[in-house]
Structures are given as structure tokens and as C-alpha cells.
Amino acid sequence: MAIPSLQLPSETISAEDLLVWAYEQFGDGLCLTCSWQTQSSVLVHMVSELGFPIDVIELDTQLFFRESYETRDQLVERYGLNPIQPKVITVAEQHRREGPNLWERDPDRCCHIRKVEPLLEALAPYEAWASGIRRDQAPSRAHTPKVQWSERYDVWKLHPLADWDEKRVWAYIQVNEIPYNPLHEAGYRSIGCIPCTRPTSPEEEERAGRWAGSDKLECGIHGASQTDEE
């Protein structure tokens, strides 16, 4: 499939200006995905400040920490969100289909079922998707552009915070008093599903606590096509 023609903005464009550009280009064809981590919270706040009625898609695997859901509820209340929740099979049904504790035996398959497949369906109505990926999170994300065409999802993929670092994210959260997951204060710098997340030390990479002990670096939603970056 040919990549749609689009005049892309400069890689030096600010996060806010990129969201403005994207909304001008795509309008209600633009959405934002959230898994209720710090970068998601930053983007939700930015969109609210800009006054754009952008749909929020909640990437809920049904295996999140209680604190993640509590953070979600705080953000929903503060920003008046009405998150779109893609359909995901229950953990019990996954056990019946795939066997128990798939995340231990085949974490890639588990992520595909609980993240990739629901997102494929959820993004179908949209032309563009904003996510909170940052280049400093892991080597697999070091070359993430601000805007790219996603062949897999058939949308333009936006990374407004690509050039932000972890310190800048926290400064923005504190200045704007944005709700955040209290597990961050217990050493969880990147928070995913309960079975596949552990705290990290300051010396480790931000995402070192995800799928620790395996060679898995990504959940799979941010790659797997010639025009996508992991």
C-alpha cells in the first residue's frame, strides 16, 4: 500500500505544536492511546489545555495494577474523559484457549492477544494516532521520529514527546499537578501488566523492568512493519 501524501512537520516541532498540526490535518480522525503512564498523562493534559475533543483509547489488558486503575479514574474525573475501551478477551478465556499463564510461556503471544489485536480494531476508524513514546526510554526507541506512517495500522503515527527525557516529563507533571501512578515512587519507572513488571534501580534503563529476564523489549504495538519503528 502506498504511503499517503502528507507534508510532514519538522523534527524540531514542539509537542503542543505537533498536536495542533495533527488536529488541523485530521480533526476527529485523530486519537490518543493511553495506558495511564506518565507520558499518557502529559498528553491528556496537553490535549485538554488545547481544547481539542480528541478520542482517548484505553489500552487496558485487564492485568494492570490496582494503582494504574486508580490513576485512570483520577485522570478521567479531572479531564472529563470518556475512554474508548477496545474489546479484550477475559483472562479466564485466554487460559482456556492458550493454557494458563501465557505471559510466562509466550509473552509475545500474550501481548498480541491483549494489546495488538484490540488496538488494530480500535484504530480502524482513525487516520492518525498519538502515542507517548520517547527516544530515551530504551535503545529500541532511540530513532523514533515525530511522525511516521504505520503500515500495520494504516494510520499516521505521532510521537509528540519523542524528544523529551524522563526528567522533563516529571517536571511537566509536577508543574501542572497532573495525577500519576504512585507506583512510580516505589521504583516502577515503566508500568505495564502485573506479571511482567518489576521495579528498577536508577542505574537501569527506564523500561528495564518490563519483561525482565527475557529478551523481550516491546509489547508489539509499536513495530512490525517496514515503516514502523520499534
Side-chain angles (χ1 to χ4, degrees):
M1 179 182 296
I3 299 175
S5 177
L6 183 66
Q7 184 65 44
L8 301 182
S10 166
E11 280 294 317
T12 61
I13 191 170
S14 71
E16 291 90 346
D17 285 347
L18 181 56
L19 290 169
V20 171
W21 172 86
Y23 192 70
E24 290 174 346
Q25 294 289 328
F26 305 108
D28 59 9
L30 171 65
C31 69
L32 167 66
T33 55
C34 285
S35 56
W36 315 115
Q37 298 203 62
T38 51
Q39 51 270 13
S40 299
S41 302
V42 166
L43 291 177
V44 164
H45 181 86
M46 282 186 182
V47 168
S48 176
E49 290 288 290
L50 291 167
F52 296 154
I54 296 174
D55 287 345
V56 173
I57 297 174
E58 179 180 10
L59 299 178
D60 178 11
T61 64
Q62 302 176 11
L63 289 166
F64 286 171
F65 291 87
R66 171 181 54 81
E67 291 87 347
S68 298
Y69 292 114
E70 291 172 349
T71 302
R72 183 268 311 277
D73 292 344
Q74 292 178 52
L75 290 165
V76 164
E77 181 177 0
R78 173 166 173 176
Y79 297 105
L81 304 179
N82 185 25
I84 295 169
Q85 299 175 317
K87 184 177 180 181
V88 183
I89 66 170
T90 66
V91 174
E93 178 62 22
Q94 180 171 298
H95 285 350
R96 286 192 290 272
R97 293 185 189 180
E98 306 283 340
N101 300 339
L102 181 61
W103 46 81
E104 295 177 358
R105 295 178 288 105
D106 191 347
D108 286 333
R109 173 67 177 161
C110 187
C111 285
H112 187 81
I113 291 171
R114 311 205 71 75
K115 285 191 170 184
V116 177
E117 290 181 354
L119 184 59
L120 277 165
E121 182 176 349
L123 288 178
Y126 299 97
E127 300 174 75
W129 155 37
S131 92
I133 284 182
R134 304 192 333 269
R135 294 170 189 151
D136 76 324
Q137 289 175 311
S140 57
R141 300 183 173 189
H143 303 291
T144 300
K146 289 288 183 74
V147 182
Q148 66 185 145
W149 174 250
S150 173
E151 185 177 287
R152 170 193 270 178
Y153 299 105
D154 196 29
V155 296
W156 286 100
K157 192 176 175 197
L158 315 172
H159 309 111
L161 306 181
D163 54 354
W164 285 37
D165 60 18
E166 189 177 11
K167 183 178 179 180
R168 185 174 178 184
V169 170
W170 277 110
Y172 188 93
I173 285 174
Q174 290 163 359
V175 166
N176 292 287
E177 299 181 340
I178 303 170
Y180 63 87
N181 195 321
L183 288 175
H184 288 301
E185 296 176 346
Y188 289 83
R189 291 163 64 207
S190 179
I191 304 170
C193 298
I194 294 173
C196 304
T197 304
R198 67 160 174 81
T200 59
S201 67
E203 295 76 27
E204 292 181 292
E205 293 172 357
E206 183 177 338
R207 289 173 58 83
R210 306 289 292 275
W211 309 286
S214 75
D215 58 1
K216 184 174 173 61
L217 298 174
E218 297 283 348
C219 66
I221 66 173
H222 296 298
S225 88
Q226 64 185 25
T227 49
D228 284 336
E229 294 281 347
E230 280 286 339

